[in-house]
Amino acid sequence: MKKKLFIVVDMQNDFVTGSLGTKEAQAIVPKIAEEIKKLDIKDDLIFTRDTHDQNYFDTLEGKFLPIKHCTKGTFGHEIVQHLLGWRGSIVYNKETFGCDALFTYLDASIFEYDEVHFCGVCTDICVVTNVLLARTALPNTRIIVHADMCAGTTPKKHKMALEVMKSCQIEVVGEE
């Protein structure tokens, strides 16, 4: 029996309709919600959340991207409501692009997945970083990125990130 892990990267209010929201991110919400509904009871679902403190502007990221977003305890930090409600999902907060807790989870030998699926935002920053961490943790596992359920900082950077992932033996599906 195949077991699948579905990972939703940073689908938070600030990235969809908030301070860093885009029409591309808004467009993928219904597709992701539909895919979550298709998950089997044996499958697992993980969300990552970009997570910042009040001192965001003092961080390296805050100096490069001086737009306050995903601050702990705010509406913008929360996962988009339409994606919630599936049984037993895990949420990992992350302070940077890659999620060390996700890597640790994937690297643990007791979790065996036939496939690991990714979607979310931003394709060219947090999605690509976490996909490559997954490839490192699971060198012989099929990893699939759903291009039609990802949004980049720009459409051009989205496509560039998909090409980088393909070059690292990641299967990209749902491309236009």
Side-chain angles (χ1 to χ4, degrees), residues 111-155:
F111 298 105
E112 303 258 337
Y113 295 103
D114 297 297
E115 301 175 349
V116 178
H117 295 251
F118 279 88
C119 64
V121 295
C122 292
T123 317
D124 51 309
I125 302 173
C126 293
V127 174
V128 68
T129 302
N130 286 287
V131 166
L132 294 178
L133 285 174
R135 171 52 67 226
T136 302
L138 304 169
N140 294 306
T141 300
R142 184 175 180 212
I143 298 175
I144 302 160
V145 172
H146 295 263
D148 59 340
M149 290 187 267
C150 290
T153 55
T154 68

Side-chain angles (χ1 to χ4, degrees), residues 40-115:
D40 190 277
I41 192 73
K42 70 184 175 331
D43 297 330
D44 290 327
L45 174 64
I46 293 177
F47 291 96
T48 67
R49 281 196 304 197
D50 195 35
T51 303
H52 301 293
D53 291 317
Q54 293 298 328
N55 71 338
Y56 172 72
F57 294 118
D58 297 330
T59 67
L60 183 64
E61 181 182 334
K63 290 175 181 21
F64 280 90
L65 178 65
I67 300 170
K68 198 169 202 174
H69 64 283
C70 300
T71 304
K72 271 190 240 177
T74 67
F75 177 75
H77 182 246
E78 296 306 315
I79 307 278
V80 174
Q81 186 64 36
H82 297 309
L83 304 181
L84 298 175
W86 195 75
R87 63 118 191 117
S89 59
I90 299 168
V91 177
Y92 288 128
N93 290 330
K94 59 185 192 56
E95 296 177 6
T96 188
F97 309 130
C99 182
D100 57 348
L102 176 62
F103 177 82
T104 300
Y105 176 88
L106 294 174
D107 198 39
S109 61
I110 60 170
F111 298 105
E112 303 258 337
Y113 295 103
D114 297 297
E115 301 175 349

Side-chain angles (χ1 to χ4, degrees), residues 17 26 137 150 157:
T17 57
Q26 292 169 25
C150 290
K157 288 183 178 182

